[in-house]
Amino acid sequence: MLALSVLCSQFLLSPLLSAQARSAYALPAAASTVDDSKQPQLQHFDPDLADKSLDPCDSFYKYSCNKWLTANPIPADQVYWGTGSGLELWNENVLRETLEAASKSDASRTAAQQKIGDYWAACMDESGIEAAGLKPLQPELDRIAALKSKKDLTLAIAHLQHLFPGAWEFGDNQSNSPFFGFTGQQDYDDASKVVGQLDQAGLSLPNRDYYINTDDKSKEILSKFHTHIQKMFVLAGEPESQAAADAGVVIEIETAMAQVQMDNVTRRDPKNINNKMSLAQIRELMPTVDWDAYLKAVKAPSSEHYIVTSPNFLRAEDKLINMHPLEHWKVYMRWWAVHRSAPLMSKAFVDENFDFFAHTLAGQQENQPRWRRCVHNVDRDLGEALGQAYVDRAFPPESRARTIQMVHAIETALSADIQSLSWMSPATKDQAIVKLKGIEDKIGYPSHWRDYSSVKIGRDNFVSNVAQSSSFEFERWVAKIGQPVDRSEWTMTPPTINAYYDPQLNTINFPAGILQPPFFDPTKDDAVNYGAIGMVIGHEIIHGFDDQGRKFDAHGNLRDWWTENDAKQYDERGKCISDEYTQEVPDAGTGVKQNGLLTQGEDTADNGGIHLALYALETTLKQQGKSLDDKGPDGWTYRQRFFLANAYSWCSNVRPEIARMLVSTDPHSLPVFRIDNVMSNMSEFQQAFGCKAGQRMVRANACRVW
Ligand SMILES: [Zn+2]
């Protein structure tokens, strides 16, 4: 969830790396209108990939993944590589074909084709971008240079926030905006209303830990960050000595902001971020900003009240603005302009940005080919225009129908699970069932497509295209304030290999991009599909009932529907999970540990989700006159195939650098734990592979919430 409403996503994707260094999994070819002969190979689950020389009861992850991991090292331009990575490449190829066709300027193009096609052409025009040099950024640098007094800051902040993708997003760790984040979002106490919300500033590094931790590795990264900022300022035309001093200013300001940011574990509890304030209170909290002018500049409708996720941050930032001279704030804004535009500019900027953010921070060896970066950019900025073509080409109605069937079976499984719980009182059970029945299932793509007609896209200025579409998205979110909630909206694009639960809409969302092999495989039987995508479906449903989701009711209001004793029972079970997942990460350097308090919601969803998927499979098999322990044609039982397919969908080689980043910033556990911890909590797994007490995959104090 987050400071915002959404995004209990399923995968290991760091927003920081979005266009640079992310990727997912891979397997078999989907039945579709895509010409697969021209596509990268999707992979399909094959139980023979299990390494029978290993003991499934020692590490089921190794047993299931060892052969695949050995045969599939991480490509130089990736930070991890898993069984879903081929799917990512496959999806991107489908999108690339669409974009190449749309980029041929002819009169017959639709308005949507013109936008995605010209955006693509401008992004792919490397020589044009090279020739333009600093020119596309110069107007922004000039604008910052022209600021005369701190009174000018308000409008400068509003302007700057329009320029960058994702400015409306409040992430797990921080917002995505300089100074502070602003957007329109559902009210926590009354989900039928949209109100203005303010969040803490985004930092350049993944979260506050990078600025305030004092271990050697953190100090080394911060020092390399200093060098990087300096190099970027030189590229932007500053003399060496000024660039060095300016880098120091950026680090000083961001470190001061880091110190007063709310940390990501505190941020997980919606009560901590639900701070309702009037405009008068905000003016008092942060008087250096002229709030009337700001709200006018971002075209914000008037809001009944505002939610301020972290009042302490804004209060402290106000002091910070007063403490530093205007010249320092110009440096800070110049850094934002240069840093956030770097991936869009000439090779020198792209390379230096890659070298620090992808190579040093995440361990990526080489940048992805330009076409892949451009596909990511179009998907991010004009995703629903591009997504329509993806759905037409790659998501047949049969895939949607079969997914819906599985979703219903899994929802029925949770209903039975709730009824059977020994620790929950009938009163809370009734409420839980009401919430479950209130979940809306959204499968594949939105019921209507976003209208981008007001976004101006040309063929010759990539920086401007990104600013235009970012500005459109930012203002679109702000304009929601005071309007009725649009329940049909998605916050992931159709080709995304991910899924989410939205606690304030009470919806589960599965984009077409993940309803492909190896997650959903139309060529495979139910045991395989429930093990892979079924577990993902169960996972998202359980998010409605994890340590965050359980605090929202069926209508998406932050309202306590638990009896005191049931809540206590829940917390004890949740603590079992968070204790279990606080553990060392093998091969990621000494002292690198997962924080079970950060990952508790995702771990609860993993553990609960697989139970639901297995139960739904059992029921489905029963309807076919079969049982879990019957053997299929390949000699494995359905139960075994279920667990093997589940583990297989998670097999991933992960670079140690990115592992180190993820444990501090990502609420998901690393893949090895998403298999071994989950299975070692499950007697149903131990039964499948004959594991005995005392073996690693049989946990003495197993955890179970759902
Ligand atoms: Zn999740």
Side-chain angles (χ1 to χ4, degrees):
M1 178 187 59
L2 329 178
L4 263 206
S5 69
V6 182
L7 306 184
C8 283
S9 44
Q10 161 77 8
F11 283 88
L12 270 182
L13 301 180
S14 163
L16 174 83
L17 300 170
S18 50
Q20 307 252 34
R22 67 178 223 195
S23 107
Y25 291 24
L27 284 215
S32 74
T33 52
V34 173
D35 179 359
D36 285 317
S37 65
K38 291 187 193 148
Q39 302 301 329
Q41 228 28 67
L42 286 168
Q43 299 177 47
H44 294 262
F45 168 72
D46 174 1
D48 289 340
L49 279 166
D51 186 342
K52 289 187 176 163
S53 72
L54 299 174
D55 182 353
C57 302
D58 179 53
S59 164
F60 190 63
Y61 181 77
K62 281 192 189 144
Y63 177 78
S64 309
C65 294
N66 199 42
K67 279 191 194 168
W68 191 92
L69 293 174
T70 309
N72 293 278
I74 308 174
D77 64 353
Q78 302 294 319
V79 293
Y80 69 98
W81 193 249
T83 45
S85 298
L87 172 59
E88 178 148 358
L89 205 51
W90 187 88
N91 281 351
E92 287 167 7
N93 267 275
V94 173
L95 300 176
R96 178 193 196 170
E97 287 175 4
T98 303
L99 288 163
E100 279 175 349
S103 72
K104 297 192 174 76
S105 18
D106 67 61
S108 67
R109 290 191 299 175
T110 63
Q113 284 168 335
Q114 178 273 320
K115 289 194 199 304
I116 59 174
D118 287 354
Y119 183 113
W120 169 262
C123 180
M124 290 299 288
D125 179 16
E126 269 186 294
S127 58
I129 290 169
E130 208 54 42
L134 198 57
K135 224 194 294 169
L137 189 59
Q138 200 57 52
E140 297 308 329
L141 298 178
D142 293 346
R143 185 186 264 270
I144 294 166
L147 299 178
K148 293 278 179 292
S149 82
K150 282 191 189 169
K151 281 201 169 54
D152 298 340
L153 279 179
T154 295
L155 293 184
I157 293 169
H159 175 79
L160 207 53
Q161 287 172 342
H162 278 76
L163 301 179
F164 311 121
W168 55 273
E169 236 170 332
F170 296 0
D172 294 307
N173 296 278
Q174 54 193 344
S175 79
N176 218 353
S177 284
F179 292 94
F180 54 83
F182 182 72
T183 195
Q185 268 293 320
Q186 280 169 278
D187 188 38
Y188 286 105
D189 296 329
D190 181 354
S192 70
K193 289 179 180 154
V194 181
V195 295
Q197 303 209 7
L198 285 157
D199 194 19
Q200 57 198 12
L203 303 170
S204 311
L205 296 176
N207 74 4
R208 67 195 295 270
D209 296 352
Y210 284 77
Y211 298 83
I212 57 184
N213 283 357
T214 52
D215 60 285
D216 289 348
K217 185 73 190 165
S218 300
K219 284 197 270 188
E220 180 198 324
I221 289 175
L222 201 57
S223 144
K224 286 183 176 167
F225 181 45
H226 188 288
T227 310
H228 165 69
I229 302 171
Q230 187 178 340
K231 285 184 183 167
M232 293 292 279
F233 277 140
V234 169
L235 288 175
E238 291 189 10
E240 197 78 50
S241 60
Q242 188 200 337
D246 286 353
V249 169
V250 172
I251 291 193
E252 190 187 341
I253 286 177
E254 290 208 341
T255 302
M257 288 182 179
Q259 280 160 346
V260 293
Q261 268 196 352
M262 184 186 281
D263 69 76
N264 54 14
V265 171
T266 309
R267 225 167 136 77
R268 282 183 48 72
D269 186 340
K271 286 194 207 95
N272 294 332
I273 51 179
N274 182 23
N275 306 296
K276 223 182 263 191
M277 289 195 172
S278 65
L279 188 53
Q281 286 172 307
I282 292 171
R283 286 191 195 105
E284 212 170 296
L285 189 66
M286 204 173 176
T288 45
V289 170
D290 176 347
W291 288 100
D292 295 305
Y294 174 81
L295 293 171
K296 196 172 161 216
V298 300
K299 302 183 188 147
S302 79
S303 188
E304 203 174 287
H305 54 260
Y306 295 82
I307 303 291
V308 179
T309 61
S310 173
N312 285 343
F313 179 87
L314 293 190
R315 191 178 297 118
E317 187 175 68
D318 200 71
K319 289 201 186 99
L320 202 63
I321 293 177
N322 283 310
M323 225 166 75
H324 283 271
L326 177 66
E327 286 312 307
H328 284 186
W329 294 107
K330 289 187 181 182
V331 171
Y332 172 77
M333 285 190 276
R334 202 152 66 232
W335 165 245
W336 264 84
V338 173
H339 164 54
R340 295 296 299 266
S341 307
L344 321 175
M345 296 185 35
S346 59
K347 188 170 183 303
F349 283 94
V350 170
D351 288 352
E352 177 54 34
N353 185 62
F354 171 85
D355 188 58
F356 179 73
F357 280 97
H359 179 62
T360 300
L361 279 190
Q364 191 176 338
Q365 304 298 307
E366 287 171 14
N367 208 343
Q368 287 190 356
R370 186 160 191 97
W371 74 266
R372 291 193 71 180
R373 287 179 271 145
C374 288
V375 167
H376 284 293
N377 280 306
V378 189
D379 178 55
R380 181 196 62 205
D381 291 342
L382 299 167
E384 289 198 10
L386 178 59
Q388 298 175 41
Y390 176 81
V391 168
D392 289 345
R393 299 188 61 202
F395 190 55
E398 306 81 64
S399 289
R400 189 159 189 272
R402 195 165 162 194
T403 305
I404 290 172
Q405 225 171 30
M406 295 175 74
V407 169
H408 290 163
I410 290 166
E411 286 169 345
T412 304
L414 179 55
S415 177
D417 181 61
I418 291 168
Q419 301 293 3
S420 73
L421 291 178
S422 58
W423 55 270
M424 191 185 271
S425 70
T428 307
K429 282 182 184 178
D430 287 351
Q431 294 285 314
I433 296 290
V434 169
K435 174 152 187 184
L436 171 59
K437 286 194 174 145
I439 293 179
E440 189 182 336
D441 309 324
K442 290 164 45 172
I443 314 295
Y445 50 91
S447 54
H448 60 263
W449 298 100
R450 191 159 301 152
D451 175 9
Y452 294 101
S453 53
S454 66
V455 188
K456 285 192 188 63
I457 299 292
R459 290 180 84 87
D460 57 354
N461 191 335
F462 182 34
V463 170
S464 161
N465 287 347
V466 172
Q468 287 288 330
S469 50
S470 301
S471 181
F472 166 78
E473 269 301 286
F474 178 59
E475 291 191 356
R476 197 177 67 78
W477 279 86
V478 169
K480 291 168 188 267
I481 296 170
Q483 297 298 310
V485 173
D486 179 0
R487 296 189 53 82
S488 70
E489 184 155 327
W490 288 58
T491 51
M492 280 181 190
T493 64
T496 306
I497 306 173
N498 208 334
Y500 68 96
Y501 170 75
D502 183 328
Q504 289 179 286
L505 289 175
N506 200 21
T507 60
I508 45 172
N509 305 257
F510 302 95
I514 197 172
L515 299 173
Q516 312 286 350
F519 302 105
F520 172 77
D521 190 339
T523 69
K524 295 289 175 188
D525 65 277
D526 288 326
V528 171
N529 277 306
Y530 275 101
I533 195 68
M535 180 272 178
V536 176
I537 295 167
H539 172 109
E540 299 306 337
I541 294 172
I542 292 291
H543 271 316
F545 303 87
D546 71 12
D547 62 313
Q548 291 181 317
R550 77 172 189 84
K551 293 172 180 158
F552 294 83
D553 69 15
H555 303 291
N557 301 318
L558 185 58
R559 181 178 71 83
D560 191 358
W561 45 271
W562 293 64
T563 68
E564 200 179 317
N565 188 52
D566 289 338
K568 198 170 141 256
Q569 293 279 343
Y570 184 97
D571 288 343
E572 276 170 24
R573 283 162 177 78
K575 184 175 183 307
C576 180
I577 298 262
S578 60
D579 287 348
E580 180 186 311
Y581 280 81
T582 299
Q583 57 195 329
E584 296 274 339
V585 177
D587 313 322
T590 42
V592 177
K593 257 177 123 173
Q594 285 214 147
N595 178 358
L597 290 173
L598 178 62
T599 60
Q600 183 185 340
E602 296 298 335
D603 299 332
T604 302
D606 282 349
N607 279 275
I610 196 164
H611 274 286
L612 300 186
L614 183 61
Y615 184 82
L617 171 63
E618 190 176 13
T619 310
T620 305
L621 288 173
K622 214 177 272 172
Q623 287 159 357
Q624 301 163 3
K626 296 182 220 159
S627 93
L628 281 176
D629 295 308
D630 291 349
K631 276 195 176 142
D634 55 11
W636 297 89
T637 66
Y638 295 117
R639 183 193 297 271
Q640 289 170 328
R641 285 162 60 79
F642 171 89
F643 285 111
L644 286 166
N646 175 256
Y648 180 71
S649 69
W650 286 106
C651 300
S652 308
N653 283 307
V654 182
R655 292 195 195 278
E657 292 89 344
I658 191 80
R660 185 187 152 83
M661 182 193 295
L662 292 170
V663 297
S664 134
T665 58
D666 190 322
H668 301 86
S669 288
L670 293 165
V672 57
F673 303 130
R674 297 187 80 163
I675 299 307
D676 281 358
N677 286 47
V678 169
M679 307 303 183
S680 66
N681 284 326
M682 287 183 85
S683 60
E684 296 87 339
F685 164 78
Q686 292 141 13
Q687 189 186 337
F689 289 92
C691 305
K692 302 277 180 310
Q695 290 185 287
R696 230 182 123 255
M697 295 305 297
V698 183
R699 201 171 284 272
N701 45 349
C703 302
R704 170 113 193 234
V705 184
W706 301 103

